[in-house]
Amino acid sequence: MMHIPKWPIATEREMRLLREVLESNQWGGFHEFVDRFEKLFAAFQHCQYGVSSANGTLALEMAMAAAGLGPGDEVIVPSISFISTATAVSRAGATPVFADIEPYSFNLDPERAEAAISPRTRAIMPVHFGGPLADMDRLMALAAARGLIVIEDAAHAHGSEWNGKRAGSFGLGSMFSFQNSKVMTAGEGGILLSNDAAFAERARSFANQGRETAGQGWFYHYTIGSNYRLTALQAAVLLAQLERLPEQIQVRRRNAELLAKELAGVEGLIFQQVPPQVNVHSHYLLLGRIDARKFGMSRDEFHKALTGQGIPCTPFYPHPLYGNPLYQKGGCRVEPCPVAEACVRDAFWLPNRVLMAEEETTLEIASTIRGLRS
Ligand SMILES: Cc1ncc(COP(=O)(O)O)c(C=O)c1O
């Protein structure tokens, strides 16, 4: 059987930091570790401010609240993402507008985003799918030209860069997820990042029961907030995970390059296209598409064959976001999405732990995939 490492990974470092929290009298959101993690992670992603939360979904909801998005507003989102990208918009009372992705980057197509703009559009929410950033040159230019807010769903993009500038630092705000499968995790967790002090302050107040953070009283609430706080236990784990991230990205990068080289001549297997501007990325998912005619088997057969050989593989999402029963009932606007529809039939991903394997295992994976064609 192929030796694919388990994920997540914890070491003595996580244990030591966790013990420190457990031995303190503050296990909640006001332990010094939470503040330390927010500052370190924000700086790591080239941002000035970080507001952590119990999970990534809540960080997106904070972003919507802090941006003042609500009823009557439209937010353009890619039709391929995890559900929270859209439901954060819906929960705020605004309307998600589903636009198509590019054929091989799996990211929001700037032309399709532009075509989706209406007089009600207030924001664009690109997702950096699988790790590589969406085309931030074109999306930021589009947003500036049309006076739109950009909120980045960077749930997959820890450490990812576009021309040396890190994910999460382009828009008014951004969010990262630390859910169990992510490249940095505390089982659950999230953070909102920003370079806008007032935006970050509104987000923090919202996440902290509508308190004003500038030293007003504990029982003085100025807006309808909530409690979205990350715990110190999560922060302890995340501090350790962040220390290890750059080195793990290098391991995944090496393995992804080796797989790409070994499988370069395999007709009908097309890996995610990473734009040259993306100089580093998280390698959260190894994404690809199968051209059944050229490859000689369908995506479903490919998925079955891989998992049968002990290589974890997911046959993409079963539908674009608007195909969920929730959005079949309405509450959204759907632009034509032929690429998303095609990806649902022919795309797949391998989880990041596949790219954490030894070189020998990586070569074995490549040879297994090559073997499927003969
Ligand atoms: C693109 C994307 N956005 C948002 C989320 C939500 O994050 P969380 O699971 O931490 O709530 C996820 C995944 O979990 C995701 O993949």
Side-chain angles (χ1 to χ4, degrees), residues 47 60 63 67 124-126 149-154 168-176 192-196 199:
C47 288
L60 274 183
I124 306 181
M125 197 194 301
I149 291 167
V150 173
I151 304 287
E152 299 170 68
D153 179 335
S169 66
F170 289 83
L172 173 62
S174 61
M175 87 83 162
F176 290 78
L192 169 143
L193 301 184
S194 183
N195 280 311
D196 184 301
F199 176 84

Side-chain angles (χ1 to χ4, degrees), residues 106-149:
F106 295 93
N107 275 323
L108 181 62
D109 184 329
E111 261 174 46
R112 305 316 311 157
E114 182 165 18
I117 294 173
S118 85
R120 295 184 154 210
T121 307
R122 295 253 340 261
I124 306 181
M125 197 194 301
V127 178
H128 307 313
F129 202 74
L133 282 83
D135 189 331
M136 294 316 282
D137 290 341
R138 290 169 68 200
L139 289 170
M140 293 308 290
L142 172 63
R146 306 295 286 265
L148 304 175
I149 291 167

Side-chain angles (χ1 to χ4, degrees), residues 55-57 60 81-82 84-85 127 153 155-156 175 177 179 182 189:
N55 59 60
T57 301
L60 274 183
S81 183
F82 183 67
S84 322
T85 311
V127 178
D153 179 335
H156 300 181
M175 87 83 162
S177 165
Q179 169 268 338
K182 300 299 186 286

Side-chain angles (χ1 to χ4, degrees), residues 44-111:
F44 182 73
Q45 297 295 151
H46 299 171
C47 288
Q48 278 178 276
Y49 309 102
V51 183
S52 57
S53 55
N55 59 60
T57 301
L58 294 178
L60 274 183
E61 293 179 21
M62 268 198 269
M64 294 294 110
L69 294 164
D73 299 332
E74 286 184 348
V75 179
I76 297 169
V77 301
S79 53
I80 293 297
S81 183
F82 183 67
I83 192 68
S84 322
T85 311
T87 50
V89 175
S90 302
R91 273 198 170 276
T95 305
V97 176
F98 296 107
D100 210 359
I101 55 168
E102 296 170 325
Y104 296 104
S105 79
F106 295 93
N107 275 323
L108 181 62
D109 184 329
E111 261 174 46

Side-chain angles (χ1 to χ4, degrees), residues 1-6 310 353-354 356-358 361 364-365:
M1 213 49 180
M2 207 104 38
H3 185 71
I4 314 277
K6 81 173 199 51
R353 69 192 180 92
V354 172
M356 295 297 294
E358 300 290 333
T361 306
E364 227 180 308
I365 294 167

